[in-house]
Amino acid sequence: MNIDQFNFAGKKAIVRVDFNVPLDENGNVTDETRIRGALPTLKKVLSDGGALIMMSHMGKPKGKVKKELSLSQIVKNVSAALGVDVKFAPDCANADAEVAALKPGEALLLENLRFYPEEEGKPVGIDKEDPKYDEAKKEMKERQKEFAKKLASYADCYVMDAFGTAHRRHASTAVIADYFDADHKMLGYLMEKEVNAVDNVLSNIKRPFTAIMGGSKVSTKIGIIENLLGKVDNLILCGGMTYTFAKAQGGNIGKSICENDKLDVALDVIKKAKENGVNLVLGTDCIAADDFSNDAHTQVCPANNIPDGWEGLDAGPETRKSFAAAIKDAKTILWNGPAGVFEFDNFTGGSRAIADAIAEATANGAFSLIGGGDSVACINKFGMADKVSYISTGGGALLEAIEGKVLPGVAAIKGE
């Protein structure tokens, strides 16, 4: 079913949103991008005259109730964004009373789904090596179905609009869809936009195609890096993984972050890039610091010759120039992951240079897709969200979609 064709009048709709928003130490929302992203779908339900039930996770409580991860903290933000007084159910699996009291045009937010281990469907308190693990996994899968069935019982229809979790087969993102027929389950507007944006990048590549992969670890990005080597013209690898590549090639990296067990993987990426004719752009210099803090002493030094006791925290001036050169002429751009510890104001220069180059290329007609929490936070921090083509709300989901994997949250709706 297409959400545009569905009339929610008189119906209760349960919508899986991604309200896993960043909070400060006082529980205040610091970035409302994900809340704003869900608004078109949520407002469609309410304007049709439907009753709205929103469900989401926050953080990784691993099946335990954690006050600091309660969604009660964001009710005021969601209420302000939606323009209605959002009610709150303090237990997502026992919300029958709150759901029964819900009238057309009203909205209810359920407590963090991941306070229940059944949401993720992973056995708790048992090691994978344990001989009883398979039995525990099977039992948890049954419990997950019951949990999904309970959530489904609250509503007449189900809308999946949480792209950030679409790559997980969780109770609320995929299993719940089994309890609704094809005419009563659908993708929300945000999901449709996300799926279309990925299709736009992969099936309509205008060249040159430049991808920028940042972040601290090669291991979390290796699948997407290998996949991109067959698609891109330029691949920029930045952030903490710079130093794994520098060490793999015999460099001295001081106390910079490094995955010593991935040195061979880094060398293999360099080799494959050469074989595929991909211009692999790695950092040549960096801003090194004597401490992991905003106020540390700094110096510019080669990325492969960092003094002992110092660590690379941002891309250096020459590296920024080479990054910009590979971005400015591109016609398709994908950015996932910052170039430095952008949370510290003194180490935002590399990420800002990337953002500036992307904005310039976009102004010149390139399609730019920004995905992943940190890249999105970067763009928002720099006030440049309106200077790029599309900002994705999903990190892992975006990367898996670009890898060509079928997302369970999409397949559950489309019946793939």
Side-chain angles (χ1 to χ4, degrees), residues 50-327:
L52 173 65
I53 303 160
M54 295 167 282
M55 55 178 176
S56 178
H57 75 286
M58 179 178 276
K60 296 178 179 176
K62 297 190 175 166
K64 293 187 170 67
V65 175
K66 293 191 176 175
K67 201 172 84 172
E68 67 274 18
L69 294 176
S70 172
L71 287 173
S72 60
Q73 300 170 99
I74 71 166
V75 170
K76 60 182 182 295
N77 301 80
V78 180
S79 295
L82 259 184
V84 300
D85 188 16
V86 174
K87 302 169 195 313
F88 184 69
D91 182 346
C92 63
N94 291 286
D96 299 86
E98 291 89 348
V99 168
L102 204 61
K103 297 181 177 68
E106 293 184 339
L108 172 72
L109 177 63
L110 305 181
E111 180 56 287
N112 193 339
L113 295 160
R114 288 190 188 171
F115 283 176
Y116 282 86
E118 289 84 353
E119 163 64 2
E120 295 183 86
K122 292 176 187 165
V124 180
I126 184 167
D127 194 78
K128 279 187 178 176
E129 310 306 315
D130 192 304
K132 291 185 177 174
Y133 180 79
D134 285 345
E135 193 181 316
K137 189 177 173 185
K138 193 175 172 187
E139 187 208 332
M140 179 53 85
K141 286 296 174 195
E142 289 305 312
R143 285 169 52 189
Q144 186 185 46
K145 283 181 189 171
E146 286 304 309
F147 182 66
K149 189 177 181 182
K150 178 67 181 179
L151 295 172
S153 73
Y154 297 150
D156 304 301
C157 51
Y158 166 64
V159 185
M160 172 56 178
D161 208 29
F163 184 72
T165 58
H167 59 312
R168 304 279 184 237
R169 186 171 167 77
H170 289 171
S172 67
T173 61
V175 183
I176 186 174
D178 293 342
Y179 299 97
F180 295 91
D181 65 33
D183 292 332
H184 291 84
K185 57 185 173 185
M186 65 211 81
L187 297 178
Y189 290 121
L190 181 61
M191 280 289 293
E192 286 186 347
K193 270 172 68 182
E194 296 276 9
V195 171
N196 290 341
V198 172
D199 284 348
N200 199 19
V201 167
L202 295 186
S203 60
N204 187 26
I205 296 172
K206 293 188 172 62
R207 298 192 178 278
F209 179 9
T210 296
I212 307 120
M213 290 284 126
S216 57
K217 294 181 175 180
V218 182
S219 55
T220 58
K221 300 280 171 82
I222 189 59
I224 183 74
I225 288 170
E226 288 182 339
N227 187 264
L228 287 170
L229 285 172
K231 293 187 170 77
V232 300
D233 302 291
N234 304 294
L235 178 60
I236 295 170
L237 298 181
C238 56
M241 68 173 99
T242 299
Y243 310 105
T244 298
F245 278 85
K247 186 170 182 179
Q249 295 175 90
N252 298 312
I253 59 166
K255 62 172 184 178
S256 302
I257 188 169
C258 177
E259 289 182 286
N260 288 311
D261 61 338
K262 293 290 180 283
L263 301 180
D264 57 334
V265 172
L267 291 174
D268 194 46
V269 167
I270 294 169
K271 179 169 161 276
K272 282 181 180 166
K274 196 171 276 185
E275 288 170 359
N276 287 10
V278 172
N279 174 33
L280 181 64
V281 187
L282 294 164
T284 52
D285 63 347
C286 69
I287 309 293
D290 61 355
D291 187 31
F292 190 78
S293 84
N294 189 49
D295 305 319
H297 297 104
T298 62
Q299 60 173 305
V300 176
C301 56
N304 61 359
N305 194 12
I306 300 171
D308 291 345
W310 291 69
E311 59 187 315
L313 294 189
D314 196 10
E318 291 307 313
T319 297
R320 294 174 199 180
K321 285 180 195 167
S322 63
F323 286 178
I327 294 167

Side-chain angles (χ1 to χ4, degrees), residues 378-410:
C378 264
I379 282 285
N380 288 331
K381 181 171 185 168
F382 303 149
M384 296 172 69
D386 60 341
K387 302 279 195 293
V388 299
S389 307
Y390 190 76
I391 294 178
S392 173
T393 55
L398 175 72
L399 297 187
E400 290 201 12
I402 287 169
E403 273 187 72
K405 293 181 179 175
V406 174
L407 303 179
V410 177

